[in-house]
Amino acid sequence: MASRSFGAALLLVAAGCAAGVGSIGAVLGRDNESQALYVRDVPRGLAAERAGLIPGDEILMIDGVYVRDLSSAEVRERLRGAVGSAVELTVVRGGDVRRVRVVRSELKAHEGIKPREEPIVP
């Protein structure tokens, strides 16, 4: 299996947002070479877990827009929105492509939610 070199994880579950702002509640990572976006962690009790996302899922599209065409800031902007609003993700899991509707939940500071660190081996 080819190794992936990931940039900084996009932590989309914790503080730093205005009240009423929601997100999918997942830790995401991006492959530096291909710009592919992967679910790295799904904290318990947040929107991503309720929608059935799992670590290893590749997010291809957000509301019909290819993520490889988006900057990290644009990805965050598209995943955030009003609490209770929905976002449609196109996800690859194994050989299956599926559409997943995620209802954004409120961002909350959780002390136990930290992205996993994975060493990059060339």
Side-chain angles (χ1 to χ4, degrees):
M1 175 180 249
S3 65
R4 294 186 195 130
S5 57
F6 285 102
L10 302 170
L11 183 58
L12 297 171
V13 294
C17 293
V21 174
S23 188
I24 67 167
V27 178
L28 306 176
R30 193 161 217 179
D31 185 295
N32 289 332
E33 293 174 20
S34 69
Q35 295 302 303
L37 187 66
Y38 293 92
V39 176
R40 294 190 54 176
D41 198 13
V42 181
R44 293 171 79 69
L46 297 178
E49 181 190 44
R50 287 191 296 273
L53 293 175
I54 61 172
D57 284 348
E58 179 184 356
I59 299 174
L60 288 179
M61 295 168 48
I62 302 170
D63 287 332
V65 177
Y66 285 99
V67 298
R68 293 180 191 209
D69 296 336
L70 301 173
S71 69
S72 294
E74 291 170 318
V75 168
R76 277 190 301 275
E77 185 179 309
R78 289 183 177 277
L79 293 177
R80 289 182 178 163
V83 172
S85 64
V87 61
E88 181 99 14
L89 305 178
T90 303
V91 174
V92 175
R93 181 180 299 162
D96 296 331
V97 177
R98 56 185 75 197
R99 296 183 103 188
V100 178
R101 183 175 183 269
V102 183
V103 177
R104 294 176 180 101
S105 60
E106 186 174 359
L107 294 173
K108 298 177 184 178
H110 292 283
E111 291 180 17
I113 300 175
K114 296 180 182 157
R116 290 187 312 246
E117 293 186 18
E118 299 175 21
I120 299 172
V121 180

